[in-house]
Structures are given as structure tokens and as C-alpha cells.
Amino acid sequence: MMQTPRRTLLAAMGGSLAAPAVLAQTLTPIRLTLPWLAQGATAYAYVAREMGSFRNRGIEASVTRGFGSNAAAQAIAQNQFEFGLVGASSVILNAARGLPLVGLATVNYDMTMGILLRQDSPIRSPKDLEGRRLAIVPAGVDAPFIPAYLRLAGVDASRITMQQVDNRVFERTIIDRQVDAGSGIGSSSIPVMMAQNAPHRLMLFSAVGLQFYANVITTRPEILQRSPDLCERVVDALLEAAAFQLREPDRALDMLIRQVPEIGITAGGRDNARLSQGIMQSTMLQPEAMENGLGWTDFARWSRMTDLVMEFGGAEGGRRPETETLISNRFAGKVKLSAAEWAEVRSKIAPFAALLG
């Protein structure tokens, strides 16, 4: 596969991070799992392959689709992969259950959990859910936290009819008015709603303080202990690619489709990838990344997430993982965008941020 020259790419990226030259050396192979299917939200993993961010750091990376963040976390812990992109709540939950996991850097700052509504729904606030039917996907990453959301929003959960549905028909039940609303993940459901020309609204869990970080670069503690340099190079490669994706979203999609051609073949594939990319990038407009650099984690916020997982997330009987041992900023903050670049990013993704309500 033809690759864009390193000098050209660095110029396009504004010279954000200089990578060491790799001269005729053996590349270290790594296996990296995504949390779900290849899509715009995680395109930076493929962009890092396409633009040489991995190879320039002596790494040969294979990237594999996932089957949910919990499954990805478990696969990393079981040595099926050395690294992966995993939702923060799944990292915390599985660590509480005793699995060997450690987060190296946070890439996206909101899982976009929320209450999905038709645009014409009379439900205008969480309190309006009382007396209504709410679709839930029992296996969904958001499902354990619905009670927390309702409590924080001042909603009487006993007055809501919870209707369990399969994730394959979740959006359809809302579109067809089989339910009044549904609890789900905006970055996953919004593209589905838009593909079916179904105007929608979303009430984010984060609006009431229930904010969970999304993709965290994750590995096992023994890998971090044995090969800290490799971990640093993996983080640098992924964050360099994430910065390129922020600056050059259209070129990033081109790279994704070259790496995963079926996205371009599928009807509406590029549009869905563009939506997924824009929605997830809108979650990066947070002080953690803007003030401290990409990958940065707010320990206080992580600690609050841990409290919620321990109370609601299925970690009963588990041991609360200490924030400082589960996540760090050791490798974060080197890749930065200027204030002008962040302003440009905000302008580009404004239409996608609006989709989150």
C-alpha cells in the first residue's frame, strides 16, 4: 500500500509530534482491538496505520473489530490482544472484578449515553419520562446507569415502564412509536436514526452529571511494567493520528476507507462514518484535552466514574480500583492543538455537536 511521505504528513499535522526515525529494524507486532466495528469514532486506529504513525515508532499494528467494550476489556485481560480502545466504565468494572487492566490515556470524553427521542416527542425534560414507556437494551453499557440518571434528574423511576428490547430493533421501536423513548448510546443510535430519515433529540446523561469517558487506550499492567517504552510509542502513535483526524477529518475518512474498504462499498457507509467521527470528536472539546493535551485524564472525574460503577455498574462484591493505579497521565499531553486549531475544530464539528442536544 502506498503511504504518504512522513514529511508531508507532519506538515499537514502542523508538526505536532516528532517521531523517532526507524531505520531497517524489526518491527514489534501488536494486536489492538476496537470496542466495536470499524467506524469514524475510532478511525484514528486505522489512520495511525495508514500514515505510518505506528511503523515510524517501530510497531506493526493489527487492528481488529470488537464486540462491545466489556468484551474488549476481557479480551485484553485474557491476552488475546496487547492493547485496545475500551470505554472507561468497562475498564473500571472489569478491573473491579479482578481482571488485569490499566488505562494509558483517554481519547474521547463522553460515552454519549442518553435518552433518545423522536423530534416531535412531547417529552422535553427527564421529568416528562414519568408515565411513559422507556426502551432499554439489557446488555447495553448504559443500562446499569439508568437508575442513577433518573435519580440525579429527580425522576420517579417507579412511574416509568421499562420495556426490554433487542439492540437490533432499538431505534425502530422509537421510530415506530412502540415506546415513548429509549436509553442508548448517541454515537451509535444517531447515525441509525438519520439513515432512516427519523428526526430525533437526545437528552444526555452527562447533562445531570453522569459523565463517563469513552475510549481509553488500555493494556495489561504486566505489559506496562515490562515494556513502558512500547506503551508510550503506542499512545503517541494513536494520539498523533487522533490529532490528524481532528485537523483533517475528510482526509482521515479517506484513510479509514482505504484501510477498511467495505465502509466505502456499503450504501451510506461514508456518511455514517462521517457522523460517527463528528459526534465522537465533539466529545473531545473538553478542558482535559484542550488545556493539557490529547490523552489527558481528570483524576477527580475518573474517581466519580468509579463510584458510579461500584454502585450501579454491576461491580457488587468487587474491589474498588484505585484511580492512580488504573489510569495515569504518564504518556498523555504531548500532542496538542493550538487555540486557533481548537477553534477551527469547534466550528467544523458544530453540526455534529448539535445532534447530541
Side-chain angles (χ1 to χ4, degrees):
M1 180 179 294
M2 181 176 292
Q3 296 195 359
T4 306
R6 172 76 178 164
R7 183 178 300 173
T8 302
L9 283 169
L10 282 177
M13 294 183 293
S16 60
L17 184 68
V22 177
L23 301 176
Q25 68 182 51
T26 301
L27 299 176
T28 301
I30 67 162
R31 299 164 297 176
L32 184 145
T33 180
L34 303 179
W36 193 237
L37 296 169
Q39 53 186 245
T42 50
Y44 50 88
Y46 292 99
V47 171
R49 280 170 48 89
E50 174 82 6
M51 65 192 278
S53 294
F54 283 126
R55 294 183 68 85
N56 289 334
R57 291 174 172 82
I59 297 168
E60 182 66 47
S62 64
V63 181
T64 303
R65 65 151 293 178
F67 295 88
S69 274
N70 274 329
Q74 292 159 16
I76 295 167
Q78 294 164 2
N79 197 27
Q80 296 174 38
F81 299 92
E82 289 77 35
F83 298 91
L85 305 178
V86 183
S89 63
S90 295
V91 175
I92 295 168
L93 172 60
N94 286 282
R97 291 172 172 171
L99 295 187
L101 296 166
V102 61
L104 302 175
T106 300
V107 187
N108 306 107
Y109 293 93
D110 194 330
M111 280 291 290
T112 68
M113 298 179 187
I115 304 299
L116 188 65
L117 304 157
R118 295 183 303 275
Q119 181 65 49
D120 61 0
S121 171
I123 298 171
R124 311 304 300 185
S125 71
K127 191 71 173 173
D128 294 335
L129 290 168
E130 294 180 359
R132 308 283 184 172
R133 298 162 299 163
L134 180 69
I136 64 171
V137 178
V141 69
D142 60 296
F145 303 105
I146 296 172
Y149 170 74
L150 297 176
R151 185 183 71 183
L152 290 169
V155 178
D156 184 350
S158 68
R159 296 192 58 199
I160 298 175
T161 300
M162 304 287 185
Q163 185 168 323
Q164 296 186 5
V165 302
D166 188 275
N167 68 325
R168 291 169 294 185
V169 297
F170 170 72
E171 294 84 8
R172 195 74 249 171
T173 63
I174 299 170
I175 295 170
D176 294 344
R177 304 178 188 274
Q178 299 172 36
V179 294
D180 300 296
S183 177
I185 305 299
S187 59
S188 297
S189 290
I190 288 173
V192 176
M193 298 287 282
M194 295 190 70
Q196 299 185 51
N197 296 314
H200 71 279
R201 288 185 285 113
L202 185 70
M203 295 191 298
L204 285 168
F205 284 9
S206 57
V208 299
L210 194 67
Q211 184 173 29
F212 284 98
Y213 287 163
N215 296 324
V216 175
I217 303 171
T218 305
T219 189
R220 295 189 301 281
E222 54 98 359
I223 293 178
L224 176 59
Q225 183 176 8
R226 184 184 70 237
S227 306
D229 176 66
L230 174 62
C231 293
E232 182 173 19
R233 285 182 282 139
V234 169
V235 171
D236 287 349
L238 288 169
L239 294 183
E240 180 179 73
F244 180 83
Q245 192 177 2
L246 284 167
R247 294 182 176 111
E248 301 282 353
D250 289 333
R251 291 179 63 192
L253 287 181
D254 291 339
M255 292 181 179
L256 171 64
I257 292 171
R258 281 197 292 270
Q259 290 280 317
V260 191
E262 55 266 33
I263 292 177
I265 295 172
T266 305
R270 184 183 179 95
D271 288 340
N272 284 341
R274 182 172 175 269
L275 273 172
S276 173
Q277 172 179 263
I279 290 170
M280 192 56 75
Q281 285 184 331
S282 71
T283 75
M284 298 176 73
L285 289 165
Q286 295 291 325
E288 291 94 321
M290 298 177 71
E291 297 175 5
N292 301 293
L294 300 191
W296 198 267
T297 300
D298 182 324
F299 283 10
R301 185 170 291 180
W302 186 280
S303 183
R304 290 194 295 273
M305 288 189 289
T306 302
D307 290 339
L308 288 165
V309 170
M310 297 306 295
E311 182 176 0
F312 296 100
E316 299 84 356
R319 181 178 180 180
R320 187 187 193 280
E322 293 299 323
T323 296
E324 291 76 9
T325 62
L326 191 57
I327 188 72
S328 80
N329 289 316
R330 178 177 177 181
F331 305 129
K334 290 187 286 183
V335 181
K336 297 184 177 182
L337 275 67
S338 69
E341 287 175 323
W342 278 118
E344 185 176 356
V345 169
R346 185 184 297 276
S347 176
K348 286 180 180 178
I349 66 175
F352 304 105
L355 296 174
L356 293 175

